[in-house]
Amino acid sequence: MASATVTAPYPAVASARAENVPTSTAAPVGYFQQALPANLILLSFLFLTVPLAAITVLRPDNLLMWIYVWLFGMTHFVITFAIYGQSRNVRHFASTWRNRLLFFVVPVAIFVGFDLLHAFKIGAQFPVFALVFWGAVRLLDFNHFNRQSFGVYQLYKGRTGVRFPVWVKKTENALFCVLTGLLFVTFLAGGWFPLFQSGGWLTVWAGGAGPEAPVVPLDVLQAATVVGLVVAVGLFAAAVGGLWRVWVAAGRPDGMAPALLYLLVQTLSAAMSIISFPLYLAALAVHYVEYHVLMIPRCFHVPLDNGSRLDRVFGRLRAHRGLFYLMVVAVAGLVTAGSIAGMGVMGRTAAVLDQPFDYLVLIAVFDGLFVFHYFFEMLIWRFSDPFFRKTLVGFYFAPKAG
């Protein structure tokens, strides 16, 4: 981790004092206290989300979208496994029966379960089950998206050096929870904003139908949308107002503008997907970029144990960042290829019934990767866990003096 601290041998310090020359007293700077990581995340909205949204609207089948999914989306899933390449993490995962269950048994069960789900054609044979099951998976997806946004937003607030009241954090958490709910409502509405669909009692603009038919009565979805919008606007205003008041009371320290900008960017990302669900893939660009940015310390700055064979292997791999990311991209390419091959024969489509068992096992082998990522991420970024709090805090923010 970069540090701005300047040290000098004792004779040099003595000489400087004798000549009355001030020595450097710059405080250490943590990884996320630097400008580049924070700015890179914000710029990804302008240079990725906006262009990709335009491509989705104008040319939805563009090859660039699949390249984006491969290089940004799938790699962000694959790089998660770097956590298993570090011996101290593995020792923690194996330290208790509870940890073994959470970090080993459940992940394997997710991969095997999803593979068998497709191989035995459960979704095609039981469409009602498939509807409920994939709806639950999609809700996990939305929750993962907004939970990460909430967590990264706390990092941006941390850059200000200000301690915020508990109610501010609770308000922000509630805001992202409501955004999750609104995303799910649009999903249930067939992928198009319920208030823009004709035939409902609260239709404000008949903008056509969504990619699919609603699975819940439109009137119910419109009522839920109105309630959600009112609550979201109120929570957003309260969160911004609380942040502003605390910032002013603290003497206007640096870091407020990036924090507010991040909150706005991720709220807009969710909002564009709430309007039109096909834009969700473009809205995830900031999510993908920030994950890669935050994984850099966990991949390259973690101290390794030379006495561990696992650490020695991981150390050789990460010593060449180009090789490290080339491997991540290669594995992500296999996952992307499997996803493309599985398009149209997964879920509840009839096409799956015509495919042989061994073929479905092959193309669905990575299908549980998404849910594994949602589950695993809930654990490894939990600062309430003493192990992760101890190993992570010093990476992103420099320890305070004293």
Side-chain angles (χ1 to χ4, degrees):
M1 186 177 301
S3 173
T5 302
V6 178
T7 60
Y10 287 119
V13 174
S15 175
R17 289 175 178 171
E19 298 177 10
N20 202 24
V21 178
T23 58
S24 174
T25 58
V29 178
Y31 173 76
F32 204 71
Q33 292 170 295
Q34 302 172 36
L36 181 60
N39 292 340
L40 189 62
I41 293 171
L42 296 174
L43 288 173
S44 64
F45 180 81
L46 180 62
F47 291 102
L48 279 177
T49 300
V50 174
L52 289 169
I55 291 174
T56 301
V57 173
L58 300 176
R59 299 185 61 186
D61 298 324
N62 197 298
L63 179 62
L64 287 175
M65 292 301 295
W66 274 112
I67 296 175
Y68 155 71
V69 168
W70 168 32
L71 296 180
F72 287 89
M74 292 304 183
T75 55
H76 119 281
F77 290 113
V78 170
I79 203 171
T80 306
F81 288 98
I83 302 299
Y84 283 99
Q86 302 159 26
S87 64
R88 67 172 180 174
N89 290 335
V90 174
R91 286 194 298 270
H92 174 66
F93 298 163
S95 61
T96 65
W97 279 108
R98 178 180 180 275
N99 283 2
R100 294 184 198 116
L101 176 67
L102 292 176
F103 293 104
F104 295 119
V105 177
V106 172
V108 171
I110 289 173
F111 278 102
V112 173
F114 271 82
D115 199 36
L116 296 180
L117 177 73
H118 289 312
F120 285 105
K121 311 170 186 179
I122 302 298
Q125 298 183 64
F126 303 97
V128 175
F129 167 80
L131 181 66
V132 175
F133 180 81
W134 292 114
V137 170
R138 183 58 73 180
L139 184 58
L140 286 175
D141 179 18
F142 299 150
N143 178 69
H144 168 72
F145 167 54
N146 283 297
R147 288 301 300 170
Q148 180 172 305
S149 297
F150 169 73
V152 176
Y153 181 49
Q154 304 313 307
L155 294 179
Y156 273 92
K157 287 167 55 184
R159 297 176 78 247
T160 66
V162 176
R163 183 179 295 274
F164 294 88
V166 175
W167 73 264
V168 173
K169 186 175 181 179
K170 289 184 177 180
T171 300
E172 296 155 356
N173 183 47
L175 170 62
F176 285 108
C177 288
V178 173
L179 292 178
T180 296
L182 286 170
L183 278 168
F184 192 61
V185 169
T186 295
F187 171 74
L188 294 177
W192 183 240
F193 192 50
L195 301 185
F196 291 168
Q197 297 191 36
S198 58
W201 64 301
L202 291 173
T203 299
V204 297
W205 175 59
E212 298 181 15
V215 296
V216 175
L218 183 60
D219 290 342
V220 175
L221 294 171
Q222 288 187 337
T225 300
V226 170
V227 173
L229 287 176
V230 171
V231 174
V233 170
L235 290 171
F236 183 84
V240 173
L243 201 68
W244 181 267
R245 288 194 295 271
V246 173
W247 178 67
V248 172
R252 290 183 166 86
D254 293 335
M256 182 66 168
L260 282 175
L261 189 57
Y262 179 82
L263 179 62
L264 177 62
V265 159
Q266 288 299 63
T267 302
L268 288 176
S269 295
M272 60 190 284
S273 306
I274 291 168
I275 298 298
S276 176
F277 187 66
L279 295 174
Y280 182 58
L281 198 58
L284 286 171
V286 178
H287 176 87
Y288 294 152
V289 170
E290 69 189 12
Y291 188 79
H292 278 292
V293 168
L294 294 177
M295 280 296 288
I296 288 176
R298 302 196 73 167
C299 291
F300 301 104
H301 300 170
V302 173
L304 301 178
D305 179 9
N306 289 330
S308 166
R309 178 178 299 179
L310 179 63
D311 280 5
R312 290 197 300 270
V313 173
F314 186 76
R316 285 194 293 268
L317 180 61
R318 78 176 190 180
H320 306 280
R321 293 199 180 190
L323 177 61
F324 178 87
Y325 281 109
L326 181 62
M327 180 174 292
V328 171
V329 168
V331 175
L334 292 176
V335 178
T336 307
S339 298
I340 294 174
M343 294 284 286
V345 298
M346 293 301 183
R348 56 183 184 275
T349 59
V352 72
L353 295 174
D354 299 327
Q355 303 299 328
F357 178 86
D358 54 351
Y359 175 74
L360 293 175
V361 169
L362 178 64
I363 65 173
V365 67
F366 290 117
D367 203 57
L369 177 63
F370 312 107
V371 173
F372 159 76
H373 180 78
Y374 307 152
F375 174 78
F376 193 63
E377 289 301 294
M378 291 191 299
L379 303 175
I380 65 173
W381 296 97
R382 185 174 294 172
F383 282 78
S384 59
D385 185 320
F387 173 78
F388 291 116
R389 182 170 64 248
K390 179 181 178 181
T391 57
L392 291 180
V393 171
F395 281 155
Y396 297 100
F397 293 94
K400 295 181 179 180

